[in-house]
Amino acid sequence: MGTMVEAFRHVGTVACLSPKKQRFSSISILFFFADLQNFAAEMLGMEAALFVPTGTMSNLIAVMVHCPERGDEMIVGDLSHLHIYEQGGSAQLAGVHTTTVTTLPDGTFDLEQLESRVRLFYPKPVFCHTRLICVENTHNIRGGRVLPLDFLQELRALADRHGLSVHMDGARLMNAAVAQGVAPSTILQYVHTVSVSLNKGLGAPVGNILAGPRDFISRAVRCRKALGGVLWQVGPLAAAGRLALVNMKNRLEKDHHNAKTFAQALLDCGPHLFTLDLEAVETNIVRFYLKQNHWTPSEFCERMAQVCEGEEAQLGQRIKVRMIVHVGNAVRAVWYHGISAEDTQLVIQKIQFVASQKMESLKENQARSVA
């Protein structure tokens, strides 16, 4: 949070030097945006970058540029954010058809299945024109899984064989880079374009970076304008975004460690209540399941967000934990800069308390049934 305050103070200082004193001049705004975009492009190993308000808009712009004709087609994973959580904007607004491939447990695709989706007989008039493959890294629904570099290399080779572009929804790209111990540009050498969130784990208040070749970004600028994504008087957001890229990436490992600590604590609560794959917890997301017939995911999430009678006295303080019911009746917990190691221990205390209450309730019910 300190870095964001620093960003706003820095922009305020520049604004005071502008001719209109308390207002940001157009020169200062352009400076902060250009600085952010140039820095992001260099960090990501791309020719150019563009600030966009949201990740959904950023992905949509990428689809619009890569698939310029109505009836063009893109291939995406069936569990991808772009396919499930973005309201079908590619079809609604860009006229782009989507075909899906199965998302494997690690977030990858079967490349033979992927290749079978390419419309090899285009331009026969009955077929769409396949132009784009989209991947997600890290993969949200698969619990923050990191796409292996060898998979991306093989995917790019397949795309090149068929003259296709590859776009990465890299909302949590920095988490993937930290988990693999590589620079973001090492991952992105296998894709043509990428969208990267500046908030989420990096902690900026808002914003997304879309990066790629210079001619791609030139066309993306026009699409952003058409979608209403041009913002004015937001120098502080650009400054905060730059500081997020500079200062916040190195702390993501703490989030990964805290998530892993929590996942292990879930398993330690007992095999009768929770189930998860500990090896699948690679970054800052933990997806876990509740054993059948004990309680529903909704009931569990509601209980974790409550403080019941006598609980504060036993735990020493009021602890409320917000989790969500996720795809496939899983529960999802996500770590970010606002959750410390100490907070994680409080979450563990809370879940141990709730789990012990549930176990006592199960034993009582079992005793009644026997009686």
Side-chain angles (χ1 to χ4, degrees):
M1 183 62 69
T3 57
M4 299 304 112
V5 173
E6 179 185 343
F8 293 134
R9 286 175 178 168
H10 179 49
V11 175
T13 300
V14 174
C16 289
L17 297 176
S18 70
K20 295 185 179 180
K21 299 295 183 185
Q22 299 303 316
R23 290 186 166 187
F24 301 126
S25 71
S26 59
I27 295 176
S28 66
I29 292 169
L30 290 174
F31 167 78
F32 285 113
F33 270 116
D35 185 48
L36 167 63
Q37 292 171 167
N38 291 338
F39 180 82
E42 183 177 356
M43 170 181 277
L44 300 175
M46 297 291 185
E47 289 181 359
L50 181 69
F51 179 87
V52 179
T54 72
T56 295
M57 183 183 288
S58 189
N59 285 333
L60 177 57
I61 290 172
V63 172
M64 292 171 71
V65 176
H66 283 302
C67 303
E69 298 181 8
R70 297 188 68 83
D72 282 346
E73 182 179 64
M74 64 177 180
I75 304 173
V76 301
D78 61 344
L79 296 181
S80 66
H81 190 282
L82 200 153
H83 181 60
I84 293 179
Y85 293 121
E86 299 183 12
Q87 207 187 98
S90 298
Q92 283 195 64
L93 303 174
V96 174
H97 182 260
T98 298
T99 191
T100 63
V101 292
T102 303
T103 305
L104 300 178
D106 64 352
T108 65
F109 313 138
D110 179 279
L111 294 181
E112 290 186 3
Q113 184 191 51
L114 174 63
E115 193 160 25
S116 74
R117 299 293 193 267
V118 179
R119 311 286 181 170
L120 298 177
F121 296 105
Y122 176 87
K124 288 187 177 181
V126 296
F127 294 112
C128 293
H129 184 184
T130 307
R131 287 188 184 263
L132 177 65
I133 301 170
C134 296
V135 295
E136 184 176 331
N137 195 20
T138 65
H139 200 286
N140 176 23
I141 289 181
R142 286 307 191 190
R145 298 302 296 270
V146 180
L147 300 185
L149 294 177
D150 57 354
F151 164 75
L152 291 173
Q153 184 177 23
E154 293 176 20
L155 177 78
R156 178 58 184 268
L158 184 155
D160 289 345
R161 286 199 302 273
H162 296 287
L164 307 178
S165 297
V166 180
H167 172 70
M168 178 177 287
D169 176 357
R172 297 180 177 89
L173 171 71
M174 297 306 175
N175 292 90
V178 168
Q180 292 178 320
V182 300
S185 57
T186 300
I187 298 173
L188 298 179
Q189 65 181 310
Y190 302 117
V191 304
H192 296 88
T193 58
V194 65
S195 59
V196 181
S197 175
L198 295 172
N199 49 315
K200 297 191 184 298
L202 293 181
V206 69
N208 188 283
I209 288 292
L210 178 62
R214 201 171 304 280
D215 63 332
F216 170 89
I217 294 300
S218 295
R219 286 176 284 159
V221 169
R222 293 187 57 81
C223 293
R224 183 183 65 175
K225 177 64 176 178
L227 296 175
V230 177
L231 302 175
W232 298 102
Q233 308 293 15
V234 287
L237 297 183
R242 191 189 192 286
L243 278 172
L245 290 175
V246 173
N247 295 341
M248 302 298 280
K249 175 176 174 288
N250 292 334
R251 60 154 306 283
L252 293 178
E253 190 172 356
K254 297 178 181 178
D255 294 338
H256 300 178
H257 175 76
N258 290 336
K260 197 83 168 184
T261 299
F262 172 75
Q264 182 62 62
L266 279 177
L267 295 179
D268 293 342
C269 282
H272 303 296
L273 294 179
F274 309 107
T275 178
L276 62 88
D277 179 3
L278 191 60
E279 294 301 316
V281 182
E282 297 178 330
T283 54
N284 65 323
I285 299 176
V286 178
R287 269 173 50 93
F288 59 96
Y289 297 88
L290 308 176
K291 292 292 188 178
Q292 294 181 356
N293 303 323
H294 291 162
W295 46 15
T296 68
S298 295
E299 290 171 343
F300 172 78
C301 290
E302 289 174 6
R303 177 63 186 87
M304 289 294 291
Q306 297 171 352
V307 177
C308 296
E309 184 178 354
E311 182 177 328
E312 183 177 359
Q314 291 196 46
L315 297 181
Q317 58 185 300
R318 298 171 62 86
I319 303 173
K320 296 182 179 182
V321 181
R322 299 181 67 179
M323 302 179 184
I324 65 169
V325 180
H326 210 220
V327 176
N329 267 339
V331 176
R332 190 186 75 154
V334 180
W335 272 254
Y336 61 99
H337 71 98
I339 304 177
S340 65
E342 292 74 20
D343 294 330
T344 302
Q345 290 303 316
L346 292 177
V347 174
I348 292 171
Q349 289 180 37
K350 172 81 172 191
I351 207 164
Q352 288 172 340
F353 177 80
V354 171
S356 66
Q357 281 193 326
K358 174 57 69 172
M359 291 301 295
E360 289 175 8
S361 174
L362 291 173
K363 289 178 182 178
E364 290 175 1
N365 292 337
Q366 187 177 20
R368 291 195 197 99
S369 64
V370 171

